[in-house]
Amino acid sequence: MAESIKDKVAIIGTGCAKFGERWDAGFADLVIEAANEALADAKVELNDIDAGWVASMWQCTGATLALPLKMQFKPVSRIENACASAIDALRNAAFSVAAGVYDLVLVVGVEKLKDMGEGGLPPGGMPSAHTVYEADFTAPGTFALAATRYFSKYGLTPAEGKKMLGMISVKSHHNGARNPKAHLRMEVTLEKAMNAPIIAWPLGLFDCCGVTDGAAAAVICRKEDARKFRDDYALIKGFGLSIGPGMGAVRTDYDYTIWQETVYAAEQAYKDAGIKNPREELSQIEVHDCFTIAELIAVESLGICERGHAKEDIESGAWTQEGEIPVNLSGGLKSFGHPIGASGVREVAEVVRQLQGRADDPSRQLKNPKMGLVHNQGGVPGKFMAGIAIIGLPG
Amino acid sequence: MSVGIVSYGAYVPIYRMSQETISQVWGTRGGKGEKAIGNWDEDSLTMAVEACIDCLSGYDRKSVDWLYMGTTSPVYLEKQSASMIAKALDLRKDIVTADITNSLRAGTSSLRAAIDAVKAGSAQHCLVTVSECQAAPPNSAFERLFGDGAAALMIGDKDVAVEIEGSYGITSDFLDIWRNPRDTYPQMWEERFVVEHGYLERMPEVVSGLCQKYSVTPKDFNKVVYYGFDARRHGELSKMLRLDPGQVQDPLLSSVGNTRAASAFMMLVAALEEAKPGDRILFVGYGDGADAFMLKVTDQIEKIRNRRGIRKHLESKMMMPFYGKYLRFRDMMEWEQNRIARAYGSLTMAWRDREWVFACKGQKCRNCGNIEFPMQRICAYCQAKDNFEEINLSEKRGTLFTYSMDALTTVTPDPPNVLAVVDLEGGGRFYTTVTDRDTGSLSAGMPMELTFRRVHDEQRYHNYFWKCRPIRVQ
């Protein structure tokens, strides 16, 4: 009989590279920056690490970790599950530790995007793409399909819809502006957000996350060993991973206003963690806001806000730092940036540091957080791979 | 047994460019009228598919035995267009296909071959399509003249709407317009020589030859439909043939432009839209000599009136707002965006998926009854395995479930790239892009139809697929 992962694996060290357009740094520099910080935070040496998991969409093989760090012939797996890569890497690493196969494992997520010579992510062009089907379907374009549908389903005019999304952006930038390692550290006014150039109508520039270089790292061990390293460790409470059959573009009953994979992943993670009322039990959530509409629908899909009612939450400030359930307190992908394979571990680091009372900027520190949720989602509406990790304090 | 036209169809692309738009760029004098310009995702092949679909309206596509494609602007110098058109139309596999190219005469040569095929009993239904999408050298007489468009005629011997009572042709080695294998545009010798010793000599010669052969005079025809080199020479020829203005079919030169091999055919379709049973039509094409046909309209014409043809297509238009857009559409310059790979090209993949990529086939699950596109091995609804019935979705209409306009993919020649989720009548969802659209008038729930388009040229071959567009003709 399978058991919950709850309270079996501890996170004893976290690290995060400076996110941004890191023209100065290759993927190896980013890995070193993040991994060194996490190892130092856990007070362990690289050679104490038994195995590594590395998440990246563009960097292939375990050498992504071993080569920059000069790891000495250890097992390293590279995990790729698009934007859910990092959570999936942590999940696999945690299972290996829980199984007692390894004692100490290093998990790193990394992405180097700004060597490609163009803004945004390249559309198509990959051998996994089809020659003509979805050939022109970029990330902004496909998420915008969901925004148009959400507006029309819930009777919002484009202006009302854009205002609602703009308020998400204002909130995320307010958070990120106070986060030292964030990529886009600036406050944004609602007027600026709403009048920004269109990227994919109805989404404007401030509805879209940055294209960012970065890396993040975590060191994990079994719970019973955690106190050897530190007293203020955090525990993994649950995981969810749901890969959909990707039939949103085929089935007429897929309606673009709910992320089904996230619903299923949340169900798994809540069950692991024993969560009944996520809105009350979670202290913060870091959700996948590659676009503002993605954050909105993710919060509804996580069962934290009733479907179709996000607007009320946004207008009441429920998702702000002072609100009922802070969403993307780190700044989110929107402001902190989104190096694809790195984001999940970066968000785990945010939650762990909040639980430890160690937020980089004291103004961002939550009062007495107990448990945080990290959510990432790869793919496009109708074809997602959703990953969730719930991290909390012991007890 | 009389052989003739049993059905007709035509296609005029939605974009028109005014002569004024051209004049403004080159600082030349005004000029009246406009011409039809294919959208950036159109070419002679896609326009032929459109004209054939129009022509096949109400016909079982599996009844087509031969398909001829006539054009001077084939999409490949080597590789037949007709075979690909046949696939897009989902015609039978055991049919004869051929391209007739390299001459303005490509259309009438195709027609003569089709007539002979039916007469000989080799085919019962022979589909002839003539299609052109030929860019002209910038700032030239050809640029003012050339337009894009297509026509299609189904030739058969049952339910004939237009009897082909006779034909006459002459051949000529006269070199007036030519294109070398490496040339982008057609070339022409001095215009006065070319017109005086070519067009204005051969056309009267072929008409008088036909009249002698069948003991008729141009006066015996209700309408004379003949290729026009340009508006002035078309008018001169009318005087030489002593035609009454009422007899002369509009050469479409100020609305569509000179669509080269397709020109006379598009005029003929326009004439048939107005024709009454009993009307007699003289139809004359030009190129490497000339071909003339003596036609008689039957009662059957009333039964094939529901075509989009020329008139309805002409009424549905969007003006090319500026010349730069036309340059992008016809890819006439070297672009910054060419550095960026737009898409993935793989002939292997395109071949594996040809049934849905080209023939627009979806499937109906025999277990749960749901319709799916593209084709799947395992049902998206009930997970039944390999238990489907193929269905052609190309003529299904649908509604726009949701859409977005991607301004970021600057690699599209016509930003923004409009993405669409279309739910088809009778079931099935189509995930594609929107073409022939006014971005200001899109809305969720609007009716859409499918259209066969050239999507990209990655790997230096043409990738075709089905897009959607707001319904062109209600």
Side-chain angles (χ1 to χ4, degrees):
Chain A
M1 182 69 183
E3 289 176 17
S4 161
I5 190 75
K6 186 182 180 185
D7 292 339
K8 290 180 177 161
V9 178
I11 299 171
I12 54 167
T14 52
C16 183
K18 170 76 180 105
F19 276 32
E21 289 177 328
R22 292 292 304 271
W23 313 115
D24 62 311
F27 84 91
D29 301 303
L30 297 167
V31 166
I32 292 166
E33 221 175 294
N36 281 356
E37 187 187 342
L39 293 168
D41 188 39
K43 298 185 186 67
V44 299
E45 297 296 325
L46 179 67
N47 290 340
D48 299 333
I49 297 291
D50 296 319
W53 262 265
V54 61
S56 183
M57 189 158 170
W58 302 95
Q59 298 295 330
C60 300
T61 84
T64 304
L65 190 55
L67 189 145
L69 298 180
K70 308 298 179 285
M71 282 176 84
Q72 297 296 309
F73 308 97
K74 300 283 175 66
V76 182
S77 294
R78 175 251 187 168
I79 295 279
E80 197 286 307
N81 228 335
C83 303
S85 300
I87 287 176
D88 199 9
L90 178 66
R91 174 178 158 273
N92 280 277
F95 291 168
S96 79
V97 169
V101 180
Y102 306 120
D103 293 324
L104 211 50
V105 170
L106 175 64
V107 182
V108 174
V110 60
E111 213 71 68
K112 177 67 200 177
L113 292 173
K114 298 304 295 183
D115 278 354
M116 294 184 189
E118 54 182 296
L121 299 172
M126 288 182 287
S128 61
H130 193 269
T131 54
V132 293
Y133 191 65
E134 302 176 353
D136 289 322
F137 283 67
T138 58
T142 44
F143 278 90
L145 289 172
T148 309
R149 174 62 189 152
Y150 191 96
F151 296 174
S152 81
K153 180 174 178 178
Y154 294 115
L156 301 170
T157 64
E160 288 168 337
K162 278 188 70 67
K163 184 179 175 196
M164 172 180 75
L165 298 180
M167 289 175 80
I168 292 177
S169 186
V170 169
K171 178 264 303 166
S172 296
H173 272 283
H174 174 69
N175 293 341
R178 293 174 293 130
N179 206 344
K181 286 178 177 171
H183 176 187
L184 302 164
R185 296 189 64 197
M186 65 211 193
E187 298 271 357
V188 171
T189 62
L190 183 59
E191 193 193 357
K192 189 174 177 184
M194 285 181 67
N195 296 317
I198 292 294
I199 299 297
W201 189 92
L203 303 178
L205 181 65
F206 289 102
D207 292 307
C208 307
C209 72
V211 177
T212 305
D213 299 324
V219 180
I220 63 172
C221 66
R222 273 181 301 285
K223 179 195 174 183
E224 49 269 34
D225 296 336
R227 282 204 187 276
K228 287 191 235 165
F229 303 97
R230 70 189 314 148
D231 292 335
D232 59 347
Y233 59 88
L235 290 175
I236 288 168
K237 300 289 181 179
F239 283 118
L241 184 70
S242 168
I243 313 300
M247 288 292 109
V250 173
R251 287 180 60 145
T252 50
D253 54 2
Y254 181 75
D255 100 329
Y256 286 84
T257 62
I258 202 75
W259 306 147
Q260 291 172 314
E261 293 83 352
T262 290
V263 172
Y264 285 106
E267 197 177 286
Q268 298 166 19
Y270 292 157
K271 190 178 167 211
D272 261 0
I275 289 176
K276 299 279 185 291
N277 186 338
R279 191 173 174 115
E280 282 180 13
E281 293 173 63
L282 293 168
S283 315
Q284 73 175 123
I285 59 173
E286 289 283 310
V287 305
H288 197 74
D289 61 328
C290 47
F291 301 93
T292 48
I293 185 68
E295 170 169 325
L296 185 155
I297 297 178
V299 176
E300 291 189 5
S301 302
L302 288 166
I304 283 168
C305 168
E306 205 180 319
R307 293 180 191 181
H309 289 270
K311 186 163 174 277
E312 294 146 41
D313 261 8
I314 293 163
E315 286 172 352
S316 75
W319 300 357
T320 63
Q321 182 172 349
E322 299 74 27
E324 257 181 277
I325 174 81
V327 179
N328 289 332
L329 177 56
S330 68
L333 309 182
K334 175 72 215 72
S335 168
F336 205 100
H338 182 33
I340 300 174
S343 284
V345 181
R346 194 272 300 168
E347 290 156 359
V348 166
E350 156 73 15
V351 169
V352 170
R353 300 252 174 154
Q354 285 282 353
L355 292 171
Q356 291 169 333
R358 297 165 66 208
D360 298 50
D361 185 316
S363 77
R364 274 201 329 107
Q365 180 62 50
L366 289 173
K367 291 191 186 89
N368 304 316
K370 299 277 187 302
M371 189 154 53
L373 177 145
V374 170
H375 161 258
N376 275 137
Q377 201 171 239
V380 295
K383 190 194 281 181
F384 279 132
M385 41 270 5
I388 289 174
I390 298 176
I391 316 290
L393 291 172
Chain B
M1 181 182 79
S2 70
V3 170
I5 299 165
V6 299
S7 182
Y8 63 80
Y11 179 72
V12 183
I14 199 165
Y15 273 101
R16 309 298 148 76
M17 183 157 69
S18 71
Q19 294 290 349
E20 213 180 316
T21 300
I22 300 172
S23 305
Q24 276 170 4
V25 171
W26 303 119
T28 49
R29 282 192 298 133
K32 286 188 191 114
E34 59 200 39
K35 54 183 218 161
I37 299 291
N39 206 331
W40 70 269
D41 53 7
E42 296 188 287
D43 58 26
S44 61
L45 189 147
T46 64
M47 288 196 272
V49 170
E50 291 273 4
C52 288
I53 288 173
D54 192 34
C55 180
L56 289 169
S57 167
Y59 274 89
D60 177 9
R61 292 187 183 185
K62 303 296 179 193
S63 76
V64 175
D65 300 306
W66 285 33
L67 171 63
Y68 275 122
M69 160 68 159
T71 184
T72 66
S73 51
V75 296
Y76 292 111
L77 285 183
E78 180 170 343
K79 167 62 196 170
Q80 197 182 74
S81 292
S83 59
M84 292 190 284
I85 295 166
K87 188 68 186 168
L89 295 172
D90 196 19
L91 302 184
R92 289 198 328 266
K93 203 170 181 178
D94 63 332
I95 64 169
V96 172
T97 57
D99 288 358
I100 296 189
T101 60
N102 292 27
S103 169
L104 287 178
R105 200 175 188 169
T108 51
S109 298
S110 303
L111 179 59
R112 288 179 72 127
I115 294 166
D116 286 349
V118 174
K119 274 189 181 161
S122 302
Q124 287 188 324
H125 274 157
C126 195
L127 186 57
V128 173
T129 181
V130 195
S131 179
E132 296 281 18
C133 186
Q134 176 62 57
N139 195 17
S140 67
F142 278 167
E143 180 173 63
R144 293 191 169 279
L145 196 58
F146 287 0
D148 301 331
L153 300 176
M154 182 117 89
I155 306 303
D157 59 9
K158 287 187 189 68
D159 299 329
V160 171
V162 184
E163 288 175 15
I164 298 168
E165 295 185 311
S167 66
Y168 179 74
I170 49 175
T171 199
S172 164
D173 65 326
F174 187 68
L175 182 55
D176 47 2
I177 295 171
W178 73 97
R179 185 147 48 114
N180 294 305
R182 285 179 173 249
D183 293 344
T184 306
Y185 306 115
Q187 329 255 349
M188 185 173 67
W189 200 254
E190 186 181 351
E191 189 180 287
R192 276 156 51 80
F193 168 72
V194 155
V195 170
E196 284 172 23
H197 287 284
Y199 178 73
L200 289 178
E201 267 185 17
R202 294 294 88 67
M203 294 292 273
E205 190 182 339
V206 80
V207 169
S208 95
L210 179 114
C211 288
Q212 266 180 17
K213 183 175 172 186
Y214 297 102
S215 302
V216 293
T217 73
K219 298 275 179 214
D220 297 332
F221 295 94
N222 301 78
K223 270 284 179 318
V224 183
V225 178
Y226 60 95
Y227 172 80
F229 179 89
D230 59 18
R232 181 156 70 91
R233 274 53 175 259
H234 184 265
E236 264 180 55
L237 189 56
S238 150
K239 290 194 188 88
M240 290 170 77
L241 297 175
R242 294 196 173 78
L243 302 176
D244 290 336
Q247 276 183 287
V248 180
Q249 180 64 31
D250 171 14
L252 303 173
L253 291 166
S254 61
S255 53
V256 178
N258 180 327
T259 56
R260 318 203 74 219
S263 217
F265 282 81
M266 294 175 74
M267 291 161 65
L268 177 61
V269 170
L272 294 179
E273 286 169 352
E274 309 284 324
K276 291 182 284 297
D279 279 0
R280 301 186 80 188
I281 295 172
L282 176 59
F283 173 53
V284 192
Y286 176 75
D288 291 282
D291 284 309
F293 302 83
M294 193 162 71
L295 312 176
K296 189 177 173 190
V297 180
T298 76
D299 294 342
Q300 190 69 22
I301 196 82
E302 305 290 1
K303 294 187 182 158
I304 53 170
R305 290 281 188 213
N306 63 338
R307 306 297 190 256
R308 291 186 174 187
I310 297 295
R311 190 173 51 79
K312 289 176 187 165
H313 273 125
L314 276 180
E315 285 166 2
S316 152
K317 67 174 178 181
M318 284 166 49
M319 293 309 293
M320 191 74 74
F322 47 88
Y323 190 85
K325 191 166 171 125
Y326 163 71
L327 290 179
R328 280 297 271 150
F329 276 23
R330 293 279 77 80
D331 195 17
M332 292 169 82
M333 296 177 86
E334 195 174 319
W335 311 103
E336 181 191 14
Q337 291 88 343
N338 289 357
R339 187 170 66 80
I340 301 163
R342 252 192 91 223
Y344 183 65
S346 166
L347 272 175
T348 339
M349 189 184 280
W351 170 78
R352 268 199 310 274
D353 295 336
R354 62 197 178 279
E355 291 302 331
W356 59 267
V357 168
F358 252 78
C360 201
K361 277 187 194 153
Q363 61 192 22
K364 183 171 189 175
C365 177
R366 288 203 181 94
N367 186 49
C368 71
N370 281 296
I371 291 173
E372 290 154 60
F373 184 93
M375 297 167 89
Q376 312 282 326
R377 291 285 306 278
I378 310 285
C379 178
Y381 291 87
C382 73
Q383 294 172 288
K385 299 181 186 93
D386 294 320
N387 190 16
F388 302 99
E389 175 196 338
E390 286 184 3
I391 48 171
N392 191 309
L393 297 173
S394 65
E395 288 196 284
K396 298 271 185 204
R397 291 185 174 192
T399 52
L400 189 58
F401 181 74
T402 187
Y403 70 103
S404 67
M405 296 189 274
D406 190 343
L408 187 73
T409 42
T410 50
V411 280
T412 172
D414 187 25
N417 190 28
V418 183
L419 313 186
V421 177
V422 176
D423 286 344
L424 301 175
E425 63 189 4
R429 173 169 280 189
F430 216 97
Y431 198 53
T432 188
T433 51
V434 187
T435 191
D436 292 359
R437 77 290 187 274
D438 165 10
T439 53
S441 64
L442 295 168
S443 63
M446 76 189 290
M448 306 296 273
E449 62 189 2
L450 300 176
T451 174
F452 189 68
R453 297 298 167 111
R454 182 151 138 191
V455 177
H456 63 83
D457 276 4
E458 208 58 46
Q459 298 275 2
R460 303 188 68 202
Y461 73 94
H462 311 317
N463 283 275
Y464 294 94
F465 190 48
W466 294 82
K467 294 187 177 180
C468 67
R469 69 174 164 213
I471 291 181
R472 179 81 190 270
V473 174
Q474 290 301 328

